[in-house]
Amino acid sequence: VGKEGGGESVPQERTEELLVEHAREGRMVVRLKGGDPFVFGRGGEEALALRAAGIPFEVVPGVSSGVAAPAYAGIPVTHRGLASAVALVTGHEDPAKGDGDINWPALAAFPGTLVFYMGVRRLPAIARSLIEAGRDPREPAAVVERGTLPDQRTITATLATIADSAERERVRAPSLTVVGPVAALAGELAWLPERPLAGIAVAVTRARPQASALAARLSSLGARVVQAPAIRTRPLPGPAPDLAGYDLLCLSSPAGVEALFERLAAAGRDARALAGPRVAAIGPGTAHALAEHGIRADILPERSVAEGLLEALAELRPPPRRVLLARAREARELLPRGLRELGAEVEDLALYETVADAPPEPVLTQALAADYLTFTSASTVRFFLHAIGGRATPGDTANAPTNARAIAAHTRILSIGPVTSAALREHGLEPHVEAAEHDMDGLVRALLADVAAR
């Protein structure tokens, strides 16, 4: 039921109906809002609807965007000697109509900071009404666009010129406007560092549980992240493996680690079940997932691919005799084949499978228009291309042109490694960038290097 300025929105009445409907079905309902629910969040209306329906509720206060966004822009809404009061004002009302609740002469005379919510489209009329009502046209003003988000920006001017400045800079919602002497502090108190991915949109297609850490890291670097998970993992039923007799356990993904420990827990066992064999992990993400369960990987190859693990295992003395591969159902045959060539007896245990998780259409649209489209496995390639139209199975190039045309011309495709790049080429897409180190750190480094070079 989220709302977007100028876009389609669920009517407020329907939102309240949904709250009541779901609560009456016995569900615990969370109405999540940005900012504070009782500051231009219509939380009061929704609470009254719940009270009328006899449904108990609680309110968790938030930090209003009228305080948070200016703070992120280096603007304190109150400041000793400059402003001892702040007024939070809706910017939705049209001053030209003259039939709203805002008393413009009183607001113009207000001895403090004015913060207008949601008023970027009415900014010319707001500024004109304040000046006509007696507010100093030379007073500092600022517009904060997408406050607290990675692509936040601040436009400063005077009350007389702020509307023109915002139009010239093509400011869009969500934005809020600050009027008052404190707006002049934005240049002095700006504290957000210049971030290397500021203004860059990056789409992440990996499964959501694994995507969150990557998305958080990209956001911290200033990117606007579009989470468009094309896959999800589904645990497969089965007993916990008996690791007695194996001298090597190989895990190739964090999902495999979690699926293994879920089976162990269901059987009443824990990390002590891994006491016998040496443990090999492909990639630092897999090693980290093991460490969270108290297991340190004995073998962690330099290259985070099956080929790298085989190279590391070839140097083991004594070489592994009995190996358990705990991994995805659809994993490549390279690893078991290579282990058998080393003389090992291999059991391949499928713990989970990767299935499609098509993002909603608006998310796909954002992903296709992003500056960078990232792929972290062959399955993310196949299922993402399937989601945007046409079959996308290995070796099927018939639909590749259709899929490729859906991606914006300016979008650069970033691959985590050679296996993913091969899957892209099978579907008619040439990666612009391939990470030298085939893990999340390598992916981020490759992205940063490409942005810097361009």
Side-chain angles (χ1 to χ4, degrees), residues 1-86:
V1 296
K3 295 176 172 59
E4 183 175 347
E8 294 184 5
S9 297
V10 175
Q12 182 64 27
E13 295 76 14
R14 180 56 184 155
T15 298
E16 294 165 15
E17 290 171 1
L18 287 168
L19 286 168
V20 173
E21 287 175 14
H22 288 300
R24 283 180 170 163
E25 290 173 0
R27 294 184 168 127
M28 179 74 75
V29 183
V30 176
R31 172 70 167 114
L32 184 63
K33 295 174 178 285
D36 186 275
F38 282 4
V39 180
F40 300 122
R42 307 190 75 164
E45 299 171 42
E46 292 165 10
L48 286 171
L50 293 170
R51 178 57 50 83
I55 296 169
F57 60 87
E58 64 175 322
V59 177
V60 180
V63 180
S64 172
S65 58
V67 175
Y72 261 63
I75 301 173
V77 292
T78 64
H79 188 81
R80 189 171 61 175
L82 293 180
S84 57
V86 57

Side-chain angles (χ1 to χ4, degrees), residues 259-333:
L260 173 63
F261 277 92
E262 284 176 11
R263 288 197 185 186
L264 290 174
R269 300 161 68 191
D270 58 21
R272 288 171 290 182
L274 278 66
R278 286 176 290 187
V279 179
I282 297 181
T286 307
H288 179 72
L290 282 165
E292 289 187 332
H293 290 279
I295 301 296
R296 178 176 293 179
D298 301 296
I299 303 158
L300 183 62
E302 291 185 6
R303 294 196 299 145
S304 302
V305 289
E307 291 86 345
L309 181 59
L310 286 173
E311 291 169 2
L313 295 177
E315 299 177 1
L316 278 185
R317 295 294 180 271
R321 300 185 312 278
R322 291 196 68 219
V323 180
L324 178 64
L325 294 181
R327 57 185 191 153
R329 170 178 280 170
E330 64 278 4
R332 291 192 298 160
E333 285 299 312

